[in-house]
Amino acid sequence: MASPDTHPSIGFYGLGIMGSRMAANLARAGFALTVATYTPGKAEAWAAEHGAAHAETPAALAAACDVLITMVVDGAQVREVLLGPEGAIHGARAGLLCVDMSTIAPADTTAIGDELAARGIRFVDAPVTGSSPKAADGTLTIMCGGDAEDVARVRPALDVMGGLVVHVGALGSGETLKVINNAMAAANASVLAEALVVASAAGLDLDAFEQVVGAGSGGSAMLGLKAGPMRAHDWTTLFKLEHMLKDVRFCLDEAASAGVPFPSADHARDLLAAGAEKGLGQADFAALLEAVEDRAGRRV
Amino acid sequence: MASPDTHPSIGFYGLGIMGSRMAANLARAGFALTVATYTPGKAEAWAAEHGAAHAETPAALAAACDVLITMVVDGAQVREVLLGPEGAIHGARAGLLCVDMSTIAPADTTAIGDELAARGIRFVDAPVTGSSPKAADGTLTIMCGGDAEDVARVRPALDVMGGLVVHVGALGSGETLKVINNAMAAANASVLAEALVVASAAGLDLDAFEQVVGAGSGGSAMLGLKAGPMRAHDWTTLFKLEHMLKDVRFCLDEAASAGVPFPSADHARDLLAAGAEKGLGQADFAALLEAVEDRAGRRV
């Protein structure tokens, strides 16, 4: 382990389900940590519990750290925290590096990066995959976009939060890979949902279907995670359908910017949008099965 | 292990790459085995090497066994072996059970089953997934369609050839599940190919892409098997594109018979057909990437 003394001091904004667990790993690893969040009083209580300092505003947070990490809900919040009236730009020390670990549109990342660069502030995107247990264990997958030097500077902190940390390319590349991964998940889930309807309509034993496909070339992470909930029509939310729809749209925006089509993701977007129109936006995205069933005129 | 004495005597027709390895496991397990195949002299040589008997025609093979297994190329061959001028029907003992382990159209399976039933001959479909190493190891996945009693009768032999043997439903269900699995593989491969083009066009590091998606929700059996060959444009054939196209079409026929759509498989069929039109029918089906690249106007 490197000595904490050689590490940059960290500011962490956002103490939600993911952020609180990620920041706890930084505190545990001995980083000099200051936290802040939108909800009054929450940062103070969290800091007392975890032996960290706290700040009242993003500007005050920026004044207390070398590296400022954001883990919030969307691009608007990232913009507010970094560039808003009480944003980090108003308290930044020389050489501040901002690291956004939220999942936002890659185009927002590059736009925010341009505004920060105009003020001499560095920016890295480092979104994560993995749910709250992996956040707690420090085994998230973290995909970074930005200059190699900046990524190297924040890597000791990322290594504490992640099991796999990769540098993907220029600023925005982490977000781009994140939304491509999610679009692939949505597309593979669409394949699964349609196949379940066909198998059910053909009278197959669906336990056998799961076993055989899971052992075979048709298998996918989605089969392992979503075949059971789909068969049970159990939409207990692990990842909201409306959030998946947003990510697939971001991915399609990136594909369009790059001048290439992504028809499988177009199809997944249509199914997710149909699910959202049915009022399933807050359900788990496995509920896209209902859109497939509506089109087939048959339930699994 | 059950004693071979309690096992039915087995006839095995078809000694190709898969069949020869599957039959060798039956011989090794002590089944009373007679083999036959289309190529003159091949069965005799194989039988001498493996301590089995051989027959010159399917009719003679049927006369020597209780259970006749076919492992051939397509439905026309299965029909010829079982119902042709020298077919099994002309030598069948009372109570013969035929077991087709080839991958053929489910509709052919049920049609052949009807003709056999008219002659008092039982029929089970039991296609396999897994390549020649799994055939050699006896670890194939085998999916059975037919009456439970018939499946139970052949199960000791199937257990010698397979690591996972499941009864899926009525006659033809094994073939239906096989072509659904393959259609899912083709659809997931289409998702992968399109995502690779997007990631490449967006300037992402493709090693990072493989690592992150492989560890994440976008992962699939196809990512593990085909991302490398796709990136290298290496179409060394493991499973021919034209065979995958055939299976996807069979799957779509079954979906249509069952009255439900399978749009993801429609899309995969279109990409495979475009690949076949480019002359890639003999290439591995990973070559569907070229159809994706043509549509995108960009190579990975």
Side-chain angles (χ1 to χ4, degrees):
Chain A
M1 296 286 283
S3 157
D5 297 343
T6 67
H7 289 165
S9 59
I10 308 276
F12 199 104
Y13 193 96
L15 296 170
I17 291 172
M18 297 294 284
S20 60
R21 288 164 174 78
M22 293 156 68
N25 281 323
L26 292 173
R28 201 172 297 125
F31 282 86
L33 180 68
T34 307
V35 298
T37 194
Y38 182 77
T39 313
K42 186 173 182 180
E44 186 169 4
W46 193 97
E49 188 185 340
H50 291 85
H54 78 282
E56 294 295 330
T57 66
L61 184 67
C65 66
D66 303 311
V67 172
L68 195 164
I69 296 172
T70 43
M71 185 66 183
V72 296
V73 168
D74 57 25
Q77 285 192 14
V78 176
R79 176 172 288 279
E80 178 76 13
V81 171
L82 298 182
L83 302 166
E86 296 191 307
I89 52 169
H90 302 295
R93 302 182 192 169
L96 178 66
L97 170 63
C98 293
V99 180
D100 181 35
M101 302 188 72
S102 324
T103 295
I104 72 173
D108 286 346
T109 299
T110 50
I112 291 168
D114 286 345
E115 293 185 54
L116 290 172
R119 291 172 171 83
I121 300 173
R122 317 287 308 172
F123 195 36
V124 163
D125 57 310
V128 308
T129 59
S131 49
S132 59
K134 290 196 171 187
D137 293 348
T139 56
L140 295 165
T141 294
I142 303 176
M143 51 214 90
C144 308
D147 288 353
E149 184 187 335
D150 295 331
V151 172
R153 200 167 142 211
V154 72
R155 187 178 280 269
L158 299 179
D159 283 340
V160 162
M161 297 183 276
L164 172 65
V165 180
V166 295
H167 183 200
V168 184
L171 182 67
S173 297
E175 299 291 355
T176 299
L177 180 51
K178 173 75 193 275
V179 297
I180 291 175
N181 174 76
N182 283 11
M184 293 175 75
N188 290 348
S190 302
V191 172
L192 170 64
E194 291 174 358
L196 275 170
V197 169
V198 173
S200 168
L204 303 190
D205 179 303
L206 296 186
D207 287 334
F209 169 94
E210 266 193 74
Q211 272 192 291
V212 166
V213 178
S217 55
S220 61
M222 285 297 103
L223 181 86
L225 294 169
K226 302 302 183 190
M230 283 183 182
R231 289 177 59 192
H233 291 80
D234 173 4
W235 310 140
T236 304
T237 307
L238 296 177
F239 189 62
K240 284 183 189 175
L241 186 145
E242 68 179 21
H243 289 166
M244 183 57 100
L245 175 57
K246 184 184 69 171
D247 287 356
V248 175
R249 285 180 166 145
F250 288 158
C251 179
L252 287 166
D253 289 344
E254 286 309 297
S257 295
V260 293
F262 195 169
S264 298
D266 286 326
H267 181 57
R269 183 222 27 230
D270 292 348
L271 292 173
L272 290 164
E277 274 168 37
K278 282 172 68 80
L280 293 166
Q282 303 298 308
D284 190 79
F285 71 90
L288 64 77
L289 174 67
E290 289 199 20
V292 172
E293 290 174 328
D294 289 348
R295 290 172 182 207
R298 177 178 184 106
R299 263 172 77 91
V300 168
Chain B
M1 299 284 283
S3 158
D5 297 344
T6 68
H7 289 167
S9 60
I10 308 278
F12 200 103
Y13 192 97
L15 296 170
I17 291 171
M18 296 294 283
S20 60
R21 288 165 174 77
M22 293 157 68
N25 281 323
L26 293 172
R28 200 172 296 126
F31 282 86
L33 180 68
T34 307
V35 299
T37 195
Y38 181 76
T39 312
K42 185 172 182 179
E44 186 170 3
W46 193 96
E49 188 185 342
H50 292 85
H54 78 283
E56 295 294 331
T57 67
L61 184 67
C65 67
D66 305 312
V67 171
L68 195 164
I69 295 172
T70 43
M71 185 66 183
V72 295
V73 168
D74 58 25
Q77 285 193 12
V78 176
R79 178 172 286 279
E80 177 76 12
V81 170
L82 298 181
L83 301 166
E86 297 191 304
I89 53 170
H90 303 294
R93 302 179 191 170
L96 178 66
L97 170 62
C98 292
V99 180
D100 181 34
M101 302 188 73
S102 324
T103 296
I104 71 174
D108 286 347
T109 299
T110 51
I112 292 168
D114 286 345
E115 293 184 54
L116 290 172
R119 291 171 169 85
I121 300 174
R122 317 286 307 172
F123 195 36
V124 163
D125 58 309
V128 308
T129 59
S131 48
S132 58
K134 290 198 170 185
D137 293 348
T139 56
L140 294 166
T141 295
I142 304 177
M143 49 213 92
C144 308
D147 288 354
E149 186 187 332
D150 295 330
V151 172
R153 202 169 141 211
V154 74
R155 187 177 280 271
L158 299 179
D159 284 339
V160 162
M161 296 182 278
L164 172 64
V165 180
V166 296
H167 182 198
V168 184
L171 182 66
S173 297
E175 299 291 356
T176 300
L177 180 50
K178 173 75 193 274
V179 296
I180 290 175
N181 174 76
N182 283 11
M184 293 175 75
N188 289 349
S190 303
V191 172
L192 170 63
E194 291 174 359
L196 275 171
V197 170
V198 173
S200 167
L204 303 191
D205 179 303
L206 296 185
D207 286 334
F209 170 93
E210 266 194 75
Q211 272 193 292
V212 166
V213 179
S217 55
S220 62
M222 284 297 103
L223 181 86
L225 293 169
K226 302 302 183 190
M230 283 183 180
R231 289 177 59 194
H233 291 78
D234 172 3
W235 310 140
T236 304
T237 307
L238 296 177
F239 189 63
K240 285 182 188 173
L241 186 146
E242 68 179 21
H243 289 164
M244 182 57 100
L245 176 57
K246 185 183 69 170
D247 287 356
V248 175
R249 285 180 166 144
F250 287 158
C251 179
L252 288 166
D253 290 344
E254 286 309 298
S257 294
V260 293
F262 195 169
S264 298
D266 286 326
H267 180 57
R269 185 228 18 239
D270 292 347
L271 292 174
L272 291 164
E277 275 167 37
K278 282 173 67 80
L280 293 165
Q282 304 298 308
D284 190 79
F285 72 90
L288 63 77
L289 174 66
E290 289 198 19
V292 171
E293 290 174 327
D294 289 348
R295 290 173 180 205
R298 180 181 181 103
R299 263 172 77 91
V300 168

